[in-house]
């Protein structure tokens, strides 16, 4: 598909992968009760998401908001065809995730050397060495691995990141047998005319790799970037319920592109996401009470395009007065 016909989806399947339960909730001060997390994941499963990042198997002291990872992953109601993934930072986290029956392990390092050191407290080479051990652990257990490369489209401390540097890391992970790579716009710096050629180049160079695009809406270009990715042939997108999320190293950064907004927009253009939008919106409506604040997502506030409203109470009187003047 090229830029000239992205407006006509013609039933093309686009896979929506929910990351709000991990990428979103880890940024929240409020601890969402375990039973509420499980209920939200179950609601997302029922809505038809292709993949759900359920939690993160990190140290509870590092991210207390996700200290119930094992319980949540074990007790969710699994729907056939939905992939239940989790972020793992090291071998111990991988072992915990595998024991909790996680379908896929998501590993993270940054394409920016500065961001990697600031965020993960390691050099890129140290991160790669550690993740190589995690990949070996997962492969021994028969569990698939996806690697998310942060700041691929720009770093808030370095600026632009050279595509050759990003692709160098992709190649090193592909050489280790990783089948899925997520190209992440961690701080909302991507723009459409950057996204399309980079995503197309990645797909052309590694046709056997399943690429996902991960955008934040920090500068209001989230949907435009998704469409640029679609034009490049990418079919998988990370989104976050209600637009939850952010980045501690990018002041003012908003969350990931909003799940219900992306589903709503793509449906209007004729794409097939496999998602029941009404169920997704119902799940998003539950979030503000759980986290203690409003969300950036607009569909919950404004409704879908054809969610109509009643006419004003004095409409008939207004009609009568107008006709009387005829």
């Amino acid at each position: 598909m090229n830029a000239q016909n992205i407006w006509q989806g013609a039933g093309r399947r686009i896979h929506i992968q929910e990351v709000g339960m991990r990428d979103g909730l880890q940024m929240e001060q409020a601890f969402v009760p375990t039973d509420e997390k499980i209920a939200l994941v179950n609601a997302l499963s029922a809505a038809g998401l292709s993949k759900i990042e359920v939690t993160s198997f990190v140290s509870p002291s590092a991210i207390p908001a996700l200290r119930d990872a094992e319980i949540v992953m074990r007790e969710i109601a699994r729907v056939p065809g939905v992939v239940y993934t989790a972020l793992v930072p090291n071998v111990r986290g991988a072992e915990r995730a595998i024991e909790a029956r996680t379908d896929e392990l998501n590993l993270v390092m940054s394409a920016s050397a500065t961001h990697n050191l600031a965020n993960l407290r390691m050099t890129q080479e140290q991160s790669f060495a550690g993740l190589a051990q995690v990949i070996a652990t997962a492969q021994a257990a028969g569990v698939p691995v996806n690697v998310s490369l942060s700041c691929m489209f720009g770093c808030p401390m370095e600026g632009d990141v050279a595509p050759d540097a990003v692709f160098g890391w992709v190649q090193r992970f592909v050489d280790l047998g990783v089948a899925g790579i997520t190209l992440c716009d961690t701080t909302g710096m991507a723009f459409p005319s950057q996204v399309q050629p980079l995503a197309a180049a990645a797909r052309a160079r590694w046709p056997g790799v399943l690429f996902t695009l991960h955008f934040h809406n920090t500068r209001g270009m989230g949907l435009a970037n998704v469409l640029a990715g679609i034009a490049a042939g990418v079919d998988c997108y990370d989104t976050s319920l209600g637009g939850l999320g952010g980045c501690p190293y990018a002041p003012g950064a908003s969350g990931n592109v909003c799940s219900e907004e992306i589903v709503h927009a793509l449906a209007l253009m004729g794409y097939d996401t496999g998602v029941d939008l009404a169920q997704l919106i119902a799940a998003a409506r539950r979030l503000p009470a759980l986290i203690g604040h409003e969300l950036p997502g607009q569909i919950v506030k404004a409704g879908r395009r054809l969610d109509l409203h009643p006419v004003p109470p004095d409409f008939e009187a207004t009609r009568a007065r107008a006709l009387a003047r005829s």
Side-chain angles (χ1 to χ4, degrees):
M1 176 174 288
N2 58 42
Q4 281 67 48
N5 56 16
I6 58 171
W7 310 112
Q8 301 296 327
R12 175 178 162 186
R13 182 60 186 268
I14 300 296
H15 297 278
I16 304 299
Q17 304 178 167
E18 176 63 43
V19 299
M21 297 302 299
R22 192 280 300 175
D23 206 0
L25 291 186
Q26 73 176 12
M27 296 293 296
E28 296 297 325
Q29 296 298 314
F31 177 78
V32 175
T34 303
D35 60 342
E36 294 286 1
K37 288 193 182 87
I38 293 169
L40 277 171
V41 174
N42 291 346
L44 291 167
S45 296
L49 280 299
S50 293
K51 181 188 291 187
I52 301 171
E53 191 174 40
V54 175
T55 187
S56 177
F57 287 87
V58 298
S59 167
S61 61
I63 304 181
L66 301 179
R67 61 180 181 265
D68 50 3
E70 276 92 350
I71 299 173
V72 174
M73 187 61 82
R74 286 181 181 278
E75 296 191 6
I76 55 175
R78 299 179 185 236
V79 172
V82 179
V83 175
Y84 298 95
T85 186
L87 184 144
V88 300
N90 50 37
V91 170
R92 178 57 190 137
E95 292 169 344
R96 291 170 56 203
I98 292 167
E99 188 176 348
R101 298 189 299 115
T102 305
D103 293 336
E104 175 195 82
L105 307 187
N106 185 31
L107 317 184
V108 175
M109 69 168 283
S110 183
S112 157
T114 304
H115 182 267
N116 200 79
L117 189 60
N119 187 43
L120 300 176
R121 306 294 191 264
M122 288 184 282
T123 67
Q124 288 173 305
E125 289 296 340
Q126 288 169 334
S127 284
F128 181 78
L131 296 183
Q133 294 178 350
V134 175
I135 292 166
T137 300
Q139 290 171 339
V143 177
V145 170
N146 181 83
V147 172
S148 293
L149 289 172
S150 303
C151 293
M152 143 141 201
F153 298 97
C155 169
M157 294 164 279
E158 288 186 15
D160 286 329
V161 176
D164 286 347
V166 176
F167 289 168
W169 289 113
V170 173
Q171 185 63 61
R172 292 178 70 175
F173 283 112
V174 170
D175 290 343
L176 292 179
V178 171
I181 300 285
T182 300
L183 304 177
C184 301
D185 178 33
T186 310
T187 60
M189 296 173 70
F191 55 96
S193 56
Q194 174 198 37
V195 170
Q196 195 276 334
L198 287 175
R203 291 188 67 247
R205 186 165 173 178
W206 296 282
V209 171
L210 179 62
F211 283 100
T212 294
L213 291 174
H214 173 112
F215 297 117
H216 286 239
N217 201 39
T218 303
R219 292 169 178 86
M221 287 188 280
L223 175 58
N225 287 330
V226 169
L227 293 174
I230 288 173
V234 177
D235 294 329
C236 299
Y237 294 85
D238 285 350
T239 67
S240 179
L241 191 67
L244 270 175
C247 177
Y249 301 101
S254 65
N256 298 78
V257 290
C258 176
S259 300
E260 58 271 23
E261 287 180 356
I262 297 299
V263 169
H264 178 260
L266 293 182
L268 290 173
M269 287 183 274
Y271 292 93
D272 173 20
T273 64
V275 177
D276 184 315
L277 181 57
Q279 291 190 56
L280 195 62
I281 292 171
R285 290 190 193 282
R286 298 164 63 171
L287 279 174
L290 295 174
I291 61 177
H293 63 82
E294 290 298 313
L295 294 164
Q298 291 298 309
I299 299 299
V300 166
K301 300 169 187 173
R304 294 165 291 187
R305 174 177 171 269
L306 289 179
D307 285 345
L308 304 182
H309 304 277
V311 298
D314 62 346
F315 182 77
E316 291 303 326
T318 300
R319 185 206 300 272
R321 287 193 298 270
L323 292 175
R325 292 194 297 271
S326 299

